[in-house]
Amino acid sequence: MHSPRVLEPEVGSRGGSSLPQWSYPKHVNAVEPFEFDEALPWHPRTRASNLVGLILSRAKSSQFRTKLRKRICFLIVSFLCIIGLVDVLSSILQSHCPDDIDVILNRWISITAGTIGIGHWVSDVTQHVQPVRCHSHNDYWRTVPLLDAIAAGCSSVEADVWHRNHDLYVGHREFELRANGTLRSLYIDPLINIIESHNKIPLCDTEEPCDSRWSVDRRLTGVFSTEPDQPLVLVIDFKTPGESTWRELQTQLEALRDRNMLTYFNGTAIVPGPIVIVGSGNAPFDNLTASNTYRDVFFDAPLDQLADMSAIWPNPNRAVDGARATDVKTKYGASHRGNSGAQSIYDIERDTLNGYNPSNSYYASANFKHAVGHIFGSRLTQKQLQLIRAQVRGAHQRGLKARYWGVPAWPIGLRNHIWHILIREGVDVLSVDDLRQATTWDWRRKKGLWF
């Protein structure tokens, strides 16, 4: 054995003082770091292992980790920006370069697509429009409120109203209210003009009362000339306290009431008219149901509270036991879809659970995210499908129409998937913001998550 080498101090001077300096033994044939006295054979595994070792050693550096995080964030943001740009470009191409998608197989795709966004109204614009089961959400944001929705074929529209200065103003938020944006100017007066035009009502003669032109027993044609019995549903979302807003609404509805344009409950049956008024938001249910002999404003019931969780409901497209949601036999008979004559088939009795029935309610609605939950990924879970089926079935059992609002609008593929599921599960009307895509695109076609 070799004896260990001992370091010997050397005396030197530094700054006027003598300090020991340690000297190390020198190796004549020593190999410098990363140098080899002979060539090593190259092998791919050797080089890969060296590269991995270098990366791992650099990963321990905080500066390297900071740069890596920044690069990853940059790549993610760049990817999302590219996806958004492609989506915008595809929408532009779809609008200006239509293809076979616009040639659709059912009435959801109508020839009225070209009339969406028009800046004026033509009296016969609905001459070839087929009404579809879409609800124009926040309709007052359209280029022409009400008229754009009718031209697209939507049989239901929504107006948010605020009671200010003895009038009802329409707007999503209070600071958006305008002096000329009232419920009367945007909805009531245009509806009167459309229905009068379709029914060829003569102009008011100053020599006789205007009410004499209207016959109480006359059945009026609705806003859609292709389906005269199809009513237009006007959902009025109360944004201000219900009492004062309710009183003003009753005053403004007199113009429609005197002309026999409203669907109403006469104490024993539903008498259909070309317009159905539905109160939502802060609408006072007690005021709405105060009269037992006449009601012409119906309630928007809470859909999530009507869920029938008594069973596990099957897929309505695969069910063979007659359990399809749209074919549920209700305790009140048929739904509001029938419009020929007074609907005496309704057995008007008070619901023992919630009090919502066709005599006081029309829709049963809920926020999609609150009632069904958030969607993680690109598909609904089985639990969420069961919630939808239970809620839709609960609404139909009470003779009400099921509706969801707040459906995710993006990604487009996810929105289309949810629309397809809702229609399949028996939802009566889709609440939409994009009229063109809802009524002119074949969103039933299988698409990816983003498109």
Side-chain angles (χ1 to χ4, degrees), residues 127-437:
Q127 182 177 358
H128 301 291
V129 176
Q130 291 286 348
V132 295
R133 292 184 292 164
C134 70
H135 170 79
S136 180
H137 183 241
N138 293 335
D139 180 76
Y140 42 85
W141 282 346
R142 311 291 177 199
T143 304
V144 184
L146 175 66
L147 306 184
D148 280 355
I150 295 177
C154 286
S155 57
S156 180
V157 297
E158 178 182 345
D160 296 350
V161 299
W162 304 72
H163 185 215
R164 293 289 183 269
N165 300 324
H166 307 290
D167 205 345
L168 296 178
Y169 293 89
V170 178
H172 191 64
R173 296 178 180 87
E174 189 170 5
F175 68 85
E176 298 175 351
L177 304 181
R178 299 292 182 267
N180 59 347
T182 63
L183 180 67
R184 191 189 306 273
S185 63
L186 295 180
Y187 292 93
I188 295 179
D189 290 343
L191 283 173
I192 292 175
N193 294 334
I194 295 170
I195 296 175
E196 284 185 346
S197 175
H198 285 183
N199 289 274
K200 308 300 181 182
I201 303 298
L203 296 177
C204 182
D205 190 349
T206 56
E207 297 180 357
E208 60 180 350
C210 295
D211 294 343
S212 62
R213 301 175 302 158
W214 301 87
S215 173
V216 176
D217 298 330
R218 179 181 178 181
R219 180 66 185 276
L220 297 177
T221 299
V223 298
F224 298 102
S225 57
T226 55
E227 289 194 20
D229 293 337
Q230 173 66 47
L232 179 82
V233 182
L234 175 58
V235 178
I236 300 177
D237 191 344
F238 287 43
K239 293 297 185 181
T240 44
E243 292 291 338
S244 59
T245 309
W246 172 261
R247 289 192 296 269
E248 182 61 31
L249 176 63
Q250 289 298 309
T251 301
Q252 298 202 12
L253 290 181
E254 285 294 336
L256 298 171
R257 193 176 294 122
D258 293 341
R259 291 170 171 80
N260 198 30
M261 292 184 179
L262 296 180
T263 297
Y264 64 93
F265 170 65
N266 63 6
T268 57
I270 300 294
V271 181
I275 301 173
V276 177
I277 304 295
V278 177
S280 184
N282 293 324
F285 183 74
D286 292 340
N287 291 27
L288 189 148
T289 57
S291 174
N292 293 324
T293 58
Y294 182 85
R295 300 168 188 159
D296 55 20
V297 178
F298 299 89
F299 195 64
D300 190 10
L303 178 62
D304 53 336
Q305 298 181 19
L306 307 181
D308 182 1
M309 307 296 292
S310 61
I312 299 178
W313 307 112
N315 185 324
N317 281 0
R318 301 174 184 174
V320 295
D321 58 352
R324 184 178 176 86
T326 53
D327 294 334
V328 173
K329 293 183 179 179
T330 72
K331 64 183 292 186
Y332 301 105
S335 66
H336 277 287
R337 295 175 188 172
N339 291 299
S340 56
Q343 297 172 358
S344 57
I345 57 176
Y346 286 114
D347 180 17
I348 303 302
E349 57 185 61
R350 192 163 185 82
D351 190 279
T352 58
L353 180 62
N354 299 101
Y356 305 117
N357 57 61
S359 71
N360 56 46
S361 302
Y362 186 84
Y363 278 140
S365 307
N367 182 293
F368 183 83
K369 292 182 180 179
H370 293 168
V372 180
H374 292 273
I375 298 177
F376 299 97
S378 60
R379 291 295 182 267
L380 281 78
T381 64
Q382 286 299 318
K383 181 179 179 180
Q384 290 173 326
L385 287 174
Q386 283 300 315
L387 279 175
I388 293 175
R389 291 168 186 169
Q391 291 165 5
V392 171
R393 192 177 185 93
H396 289 175
Q397 286 174 343
R398 293 166 174 81
L400 309 181
K401 291 179 178 292
R403 178 178 71 97
Y404 289 98
W405 53 275
V407 174
W410 196 85
I412 300 299
L414 177 60
R415 182 206 63 186
N416 294 347
H417 171 69
I418 296 175
W419 282 358
H420 174 77
I421 292 296
L422 293 181
I423 291 299
R424 186 195 73 184
E425 299 297 336
V427 171
D428 297 280
V429 61
L430 285 181
S431 183
V432 301
D433 291 303
D434 193 324
L435 296 178
R436 181 179 297 276
Q437 292 187 9

